[in-house]
Amino acid sequence: MALEIGPDGSARPAADTGADTPGARPSGQRRRELGMRATLLFPTPEIARQYYVPLVYTACRTCYSELEPDEIFRRAVSGQVATEKQQELVRRVIESGHGSTIEHIVFTFAISGVTRTLSHQLVRHRVGVAFDQQSQRYVNYRRPAYMIPGTLDDAPPDLREQYVAEMDGAMRLYGELLAAGVPGEDARFVMPNATRTNLLMTINLRALIHVSGLRLCTMAQWEIRRLFQLIRHEVFAVSPFLGSFLAPKCVPLGYCDEAGNRDGHCPIRPHRDEVLAAWAEKRDAARRAGRELPTL
Ligand SMILES: Cc1cc2nc3c(=O)[nH]c(=O)nc-3n(C[C@H](O)[C@H](O)[C@H](O)COP(=O)(O)OP(=O)(O)OC[C@H]3O[C@@H](n4cnc5c(N)ncnc54)[C@H](O)[C@@H]3O)c2cc1C
C-alpha cells in the first residue's frame, strides 16, 4: 500500500496512483504543475524493491553479525529474511540517527522547468549530493523560458502585464545581444531569476532525508517546497517504505525549531518554546510539591 505524509506530518494511505504497481508512474498533472517536473530516473521500481532495503539492511547487520556482508546481502535479497524484519531494523537504525547505513543507496532525479531562483537554493546543499545543470554559457537559447509565480494572478492585472512585458523584454534583448555577436556567457547577464533551468541530481538517502527535512518545511520557499513534494511522490512510487522518511524536519524531531514559527502559525508540530514552557510548568509544579525533576 502506498503511503503519503499528511499536512500534520503523519503517514497515511495515498490516493490510488498505481504507485505500488511495478513500473507505474503517478499521474502527470502533479509532476508538471507550473511547468516544473521531477522524474526519478534511478532506481527503477524493480531495482528499488529488490535491492534497496536489502542493501541498507546489509549495512546495518554487518555491524552486529559474524556473517560476511555478501552472505547477509544474499539472504536478504533471496527473501530468507522477511521484508518486514529488514524494514524494522532499517527504521530503527534510521530513527537512531546512524546515518552512514543509508548513504549506500542513491536516487537520481531529472529536474526540469524550475527557475534559477530555485536552483540557486538547491545547489547550496553540499554533502551526499551531485548536480549537473544546464549551462547558460554553452546553451544559446532560441527563446529562454521563464516562470510566472501563481501569486501574480492575485496581483492587479496591470502589474502582471508589466511583469510579463519585463520578462519578454529581457528575453528579447538576450536574443538581440546574441544576434549582435555578444557571447552567450555575457548575453545571459540580462536573464532574470525567473528563467527556467534543468538539472540532474543524484543524492544518497541520508542527504535526501536531510534536505527534504529543510525543504518540505512550511518555512521553505514555495517553489523548492513544491519540488520536494514532487520528489517525495517519486520516491513513494518506487518505495513507500523509503518514501515515508521524507518529511519536514519537525516530524522526526518532534518539535519545530524554526524561529519564524514562534507564533505557531504552522501547526505540524509545537514550537520548541512551547515544549520548553510546558516542561518549565511541570518543573515548577513539582517544586511546589517539594520535588526536583531530574535533569542533566
Ligand atoms: C528556509 C530556508 C531559508 C534559507 N535562507 C537563506 C538565506 O537567506 N541566505 C542564505 O545564504 N542561505 C539561506 N538558506 C540556506 C541554508 O543556510 C543552507 O546553506 C542550506 O539549507 C544548506 O543546508 P545544509 O548546510 O544543512 O546542507 P548540506 O550542504 O546538505 O549539509 C548537510 C549537513 O552536513 C553538515 N555539513 C555540511 N557542510 C559542513 C561543513 N563545512 N562543516 C561542518 N558540517 C557540515 C551539516 O550538518 C549540514 O547540515 C536557507 C535555507 C532554508 C531551508
Side-chain angles (χ1 to χ4, degrees), residues 30 36 59 73 97 167 192 263 281:
R30 289 178 62 192
M36 177 201 306
F73 184 62
M167 295 295 137
D263 61 2
E281 220 169 88

Side-chain angles (χ1 to χ4, degrees), residues 9-283:
S10 60
R12 63 180 181 209
D16 183 16
T17 59
D20 266 345
T21 315
R25 287 269 166 224
S27 94
Q29 185 52 38
R30 289 178 62 192
R31 294 163 64 232
R32 284 171 208 275
E33 210 172 279
L34 290 162
M36 177 201 306
R37 292 181 66 197
T39 306
L40 182 63
L41 300 185
F42 185 87
T44 62
E46 293 75 19
I47 289 174
R49 203 177 44 252
Q50 196 171 352
Y51 299 115
Y52 266 30
V53 171
L55 257 178
V56 179
Y57 173 80
T58 301
C60 301
R61 281 294 294 151
T62 295
C63 304
Y64 309 110
S65 174
E66 279 187 45
L67 294 174
E68 292 177 353
D70 50 349
E71 177 58 14
I72 299 171
F73 184 62
R74 191 194 63 73
R75 292 183 189 190
V77 170
S78 67
Q80 268 175 268
V81 184
T83 303
E84 295 71 29
K85 192 176 168 195
Q86 294 184 44
Q87 289 184 350
E88 194 192 310
L89 177 64
V90 170
R91 181 173 293 285
R92 230 180 27 238
V93 167
I94 292 178
E95 286 174 356
S96 305
H98 300 172
S100 59
T101 55
I102 50 172
E103 291 170 15
H104 296 283
I105 57 173
V106 299
F107 296 84
T108 299
F109 299 93
I111 298 168
S112 57
V114 296
T115 67
R116 295 286 289 202
T117 304
L118 180 146
S119 69
H120 189 78
Q121 298 175 74
L122 187 61
V123 301
R124 293 292 302 279
H125 295 284
R126 301 155 289 173
V127 179
V129 57
F131 300 104
D132 283 285
Q133 181 168 11
Q134 186 183 52
S135 167
Q136 289 184 339
R137 272 189 93 195
Y138 301 123
V139 177
N140 282 344
Y141 297 88
R142 275 191 299 275
R143 190 166 183 88
Y146 64 86
M147 187 184 285
I148 306 177
T151 44
L152 262 72
D153 293 341
D154 303 328
D158 59 314
L159 275 184
R160 190 182 192 282
E161 281 163 25
Q162 202 179 318
Y163 176 92
V164 171
E166 291 281 346
M167 295 295 137
D168 287 343
M171 300 315 189
R172 200 176 313 113
L173 176 56
Y174 168 81
E176 286 170 14
L177 290 169
L178 282 188
V182 174
E185 69 176 16
D186 291 342
R188 65 175 167 167
F189 275 51
V190 300
M191 288 183 178
N193 274 339
T195 308
R196 292 186 190 269
T197 187
N198 304 325
L199 304 98
L200 189 72
M201 174 176 83
T202 299
I203 187 163
N204 71 46
L205 181 60
R206 183 183 196 173
L208 184 57
I209 291 173
H210 171 73
V211 180
S212 299
L214 291 171
R215 303 300 183 179
L216 288 172
C217 169
T218 57
M219 301 300 290
Q221 184 253 350
W222 65 265
E223 188 190 2
I224 197 163
R225 185 163 180 243
R226 187 71 195 126
L227 174 70
F228 277 86
Q229 288 167 347
L230 300 177
I231 282 174
R232 181 175 62 191
H233 198 254
E234 288 290 286
V235 175
F236 259 108
V238 299
S239 174
F241 172 70
L242 296 175
S244 73
F245 293 101
L246 307 186
K249 63 186 162 139
C250 63
V251 172
L253 208 52
Y255 59 84
C256 170
D257 61 356
E258 282 287 342
N261 190 37
R262 286 217 156 92
D263 61 2
H265 68 270
C266 173
I268 297 176
R269 289 290 181 273
H271 194 270
R272 179 175 46 203
D273 292 354
E274 264 182 70
V275 176
L276 291 176
W279 187 87
E281 220 169 88
K282 202 172 162 203
R283 181 198 55 200

